[in-house]
Amino acid sequence: MENIILEMRNITKTFPGVKALDNVNLKVKEGEIHALVGENGAGKSTLMNVLSGIYPYGSYEGEIIYQGELCKFSKIKDSEEKGIIIIHQELALVPYMSIAENMFLGNERGKPYAINWNDTYGYADELLKIVGLKESSRTLIKDIGIGKQQLVEIAKALSKKAKLLILDEPTSSLNESESKSLLDLLLSFKKEGMTSIIISHKLNEISYVADRITILRDGSTIETLDKSKDDISEERIIKGMVGRDMTVRFPKRDSLISNENVLEINDFTVHHPMTPERKVVDHVSLTLKKGEVVGIAGLMGAGRTELAMGLFGKAYGRNISGEVKINGKEVTLRKVKDAIENRLAYVTEDRKGNGLILSKSIAMNTTLSSLKKVSYKGVLDRDKEYEVASNYKEKLKTKCPTVWQNVGNLSGGNQQKVLLAKWMFANPDILILDEPTRGIDVGAKYEIYCIINELVAEGKSVILISSELPEILGMSDRIYVMCDGKMVGELGKEEATSETIMSLILKASNKGA
């Protein structure tokens, strides 16, 4: 008889105006890797928040049976004491504290009012070896990359004696090699008997690592697929997620590219804000034509975001130099306001940290970049604000009961649509999209690709930054490749492949080594 470590029965969770979970059922076997997939807003994260006690017993209907015991968690510490540890998509680490201090924050080693630092650092170093991190546990979090921070979170979970590890989009901010290493780590934990639940929109990773896959759609359980006997191809999973076959991942676009350059950048250089001697963007040049989608490919740390933010009114960096021309005219973009006035917009990769105000409404966030359009003599017109936000809600198919709902209550894909609406309302001629589909599902991705096509059909121009090569290849008319702050290649749509892009990156990396 199979050993079920977790069973969630008939879980129903309601928020004001929306039923997030509707009689959801989930069974997880001991020692397996169980994937939870579904479109944005399907209820995946909500279900795991119910399990971990973030949504306490009494705030939902249904039962949680863990290791044969009925559990009524009132807070996250209750579930952690049972060995249920959740690692959220937004990492909960303190940048100016050491790795060890973060790992044992709230779970300090020693006596009351007397931390045993030797034990703390010693045990932390042991756990870091297990997850394959070579850094000293005395290293500050701010001095390691996102991929290594993800490993710190896993080591932190191990310090809490995790029996059931829940990972919510663990690879959304990682490059391919970092993602592979993390997934292999989960497989090694599985060999040692640990049970894992993974939420991910990267279906190739799900197929690689998961034993069974439970699909949610619109807050309900659709089915559970077993790797040992069912088809778990990406096409099959997508069909369960969206309720139909999706044979086309990237919508077709008629080429309406003109010969005129709307943007020219020459010898653009950006220095690191904390270490001014370091160039994060090194004499980069590029062009963008009207009606064109230009992709910028590269590994994490290549300088793509730094280029975009430096261009967007010096939002990042210092000692910025170089020539910028918009519609053939040289412009000086000293601040973000200058960029907006020159019809340039930047959709940040960090929608929750820098793009949106989560505690404010969809309406407020939508009009934030162009308040003058919904104001009269400095007084905000609430009716006009509502009308604008409602129009974009319909146009972008944003799922929400009302535009007065707080953005923080939306799923990731719908938050991304609000962020796009914010900058579309500013009516830019040039739109820089930085990782526009990070952490969102295949259906929502397709909708955002359609929005990009609509924008260029209207004569707008788009710079697309993405770590997903299929996205760059599927959506771009022309592709630039960056490595170590430099532009190392330019490819036309016909000649661009994953292999040619990676070979340019590797060649530049070896040359710089």
Side-chain angles (χ1 to χ4, degrees):
M1 183 178 174
E2 61 186 22
N3 190 6
I4 301 296
I5 190 173
L6 170 71
E7 185 174 0
M8 302 182 76
R9 299 175 183 164
N10 302 317
I11 303 294
T12 299
K13 173 67 178 171
T14 304
F15 295 105
V18 61
K19 184 177 279 189
L21 299 172
D22 188 4
N23 285 305
V24 170
N25 292 282
L26 175 69
K27 281 186 180 181
V28 179
K29 296 178 183 178
E30 188 170 8
E32 76 170 346
I33 298 177
H34 196 112
L36 203 56
V37 301
E39 294 187 272
N40 286 100
K44 307 179 298 294
S45 295
T46 302
L47 185 65
M48 292 301 97
N49 287 339
V50 166
L51 171 59
S52 61
I54 292 172
Y55 297 139
Y57 179 76
S59 68
Y60 62 88
E61 298 172 26
E63 295 179 333
I64 298 172
I65 312 296
Y66 178 68
Q67 292 187 317
E69 178 186 345
L70 178 64
C71 297
K72 301 178 180 181
F73 302 135
S74 61
K75 54 186 180 297
I76 196 166
K77 197 164 183 67
D78 294 344
S79 63
E80 288 185 346
E81 287 174 356
K82 296 281 188 182
I84 301 173
I85 311 295
I86 185 168
I87 299 174
H88 296 280
Q89 186 176 353
E90 286 78 33
L91 304 181
L93 299 171
V94 184
Y96 286 90
M97 293 178 73
S98 70
I99 291 174
E101 286 171 317
N102 272 277
M103 283 172 60
F104 296 106
L105 191 60
N107 188 31
E108 288 78 8
R109 300 180 71 81
K111 299 176 182 178
Y113 309 107
I115 295 173
N116 185 331
W117 288 110
N118 288 333
D119 185 26
T120 297
Y121 288 117
Y123 188 36
D125 284 329
E126 288 179 26
L127 293 172
L128 293 182
K129 285 180 184 176
I130 293 173
V131 300
L133 201 55
K134 296 177 181 178
E135 269 74 8
S136 164
S137 63
R138 298 174 187 269
T139 306
L140 297 184
I141 289 294
K142 72 177 184 65
D143 295 328
I144 61 175
I146 293 292
K148 292 180 179 179
Q149 289 181 26
Q150 189 70 262
L151 294 178
V152 170
E153 282 281 19
I154 293 175
K156 184 178 177 180
L158 296 180
S159 75
K160 296 177 180 178
K161 311 298 181 188
K163 296 176 183 174
L164 173 59
L165 185 61
I166 305 165
L167 302 103
D168 192 349
E169 297 290 351
T171 65
S172 64
S173 299
L174 307 186
N175 62 36
E176 286 188 25
S177 62
E178 289 172 331
S179 298
K180 175 73 161 49
S181 297
L182 190 145
L183 296 174
D184 286 339
L185 182 62
L186 289 185
L187 290 170
S188 70
F189 288 162
K190 174 189 164 184
K191 289 179 182 176
E192 295 171 10
M194 184 182 287
T195 310
S196 300
I197 297 175
I198 181 171
I199 298 172
S200 179
H201 289 117
K202 297 182 179 180
L203 302 185
N204 60 321
E205 295 179 356
I206 291 296
S207 300
Y208 173 68
V209 81
D211 297 299
R212 292 195 303 150
I213 303 164
T214 292
I215 300 173
L216 300 185
R217 190 196 312 151
D218 296 328
S220 299
T221 312
I222 299 301
E223 59 187 337
T224 296
L225 303 176
D226 191 319
K227 190 175 190 175
S228 64
K229 56 187 178 184
D230 295 318
D231 174 15
I232 61 163
S233 63
E234 291 185 39
E235 291 72 22
R236 176 65 183 84
I237 297 170
I238 290 168
K239 185 176 181 180
M241 285 170 57
V242 302
R244 64 187 187 281
D245 290 315
M246 277 194 69
T247 54
V248 179
R249 298 284 186 90
F250 303 99
K252 291 183 179 179
R253 178 174 71 244
D254 294 327
S255 180
L256 301 169
I257 303 169
S258 73
N259 290 322
E260 58 182 299
N261 288 333
V262 292
L263 177 68
E264 294 176 63
I265 303 169
N266 296 304
D267 289 326
F268 197 76
T269 299
V270 179
H271 292 254
H272 193 281
M274 303 301 290
T275 52
E277 67 277 4
R278 180 181 154 212
K279 292 177 184 177
V280 289
V281 178
D282 191 358
H283 295 283
V284 163
S285 298
L286 65 80
T287 60
L288 176 68
K289 298 184 183 301
K290 186 176 181 180
E292 184 180 35
V293 177
V294 163
I296 303 182
L299 302 178
M300 286 181 67
R304 298 166 302 162
T305 294
E306 292 81 358
L307 169 63
M309 292 183 70
L311 181 62
F312 187 56
K314 300 183 178 180
Y316 173 91
R318 59 193 298 182
N319 301 334
I320 297 174
S321 61
E323 181 186 61
V324 178
K325 289 183 179 180
I326 294 179
N327 294 318
K329 179 184 175 184
E330 188 171 352
V331 294
T332 304
L333 309 176
R334 292 191 179 89
K335 50 187 183 290
V336 169
K337 185 180 178 184
D338 296 337
I340 295 172
E341 288 176 352
N342 279 279
R343 311 287 289 276
L344 173 67
Y346 169 64
V347 179
T348 175
E349 64 176 337
D350 183 8
R351 59 179 173 259
K352 292 189 176 182
N354 297 326
L356 299 167
I357 303 175
L358 300 183
S359 61
K360 298 298 181 182
S361 69
I362 295 167
M364 185 266 199
N365 276 277
T366 301
T367 58
L368 195 57
S369 63
S370 305
L371 286 172
K372 286 183 180 178
K373 294 183 181 179
V374 290
S375 303
Y376 179 71
K377 292 184 177 181
V379 178
L380 184 66
D381 185 335
R382 290 285 182 187
D383 291 337
K384 200 165 187 179
E385 181 184 53
Y386 175 81
E387 182 184 349
V388 167
S390 296
N391 286 340
Y392 277 104
K393 171 184 176 291
E394 296 302 320
K395 185 176 182 179
L396 304 186
K397 300 175 184 175
T398 308
K399 292 180 183 177
C400 60
T402 169
V403 294
W404 298 125
Q405 183 180 13
N406 283 355
V407 168
N409 294 332
L410 299 179
S411 66
N414 287 305
Q415 287 180 357
Q416 192 67 27
K417 289 179 183 179
V418 175
L419 183 57
L420 277 170
K422 168 185 169 181
W423 289 112
M424 287 169 67
F425 182 53
N427 194 28
D429 291 329
I430 302 161
L431 194 60
I432 305 172
L433 303 178
D434 195 350
E435 304 286 2
T437 65
R438 172 175 287 168
I440 64 176
D441 65 79
V442 65
K445 281 183 179 182
Y446 189 86
E447 290 176 353
I448 287 174
Y449 298 150
C450 290
I451 293 165
I452 293 172
N453 285 355
E454 288 171 14
L455 288 170
V456 293
E458 293 168 6
K460 312 291 185 187
S461 304
V462 172
I463 293 176
L464 174 64
I465 298 170
S466 177
S467 297
E468 296 187 28
L469 286 182
E471 184 168 90
I472 287 283
L473 293 166
M475 289 301 298
S476 304
D477 298 302
R478 194 159 45 93
I479 298 168
Y480 286 100
V481 183
M482 282 190 77
C483 180
D484 295 328
K486 295 183 175 69
M487 208 63 88
V488 297
E490 180 185 348
L491 300 166
K493 188 176 182 68
E494 295 74 19
E495 60 183 321
T497 64
S498 297
E499 290 75 19
T500 54
I501 290 172
M502 288 308 299
S503 66
L504 284 168
I505 293 171
L506 292 172
K507 186 177 178 181
S509 297
N510 293 333
K511 190 177 179 181

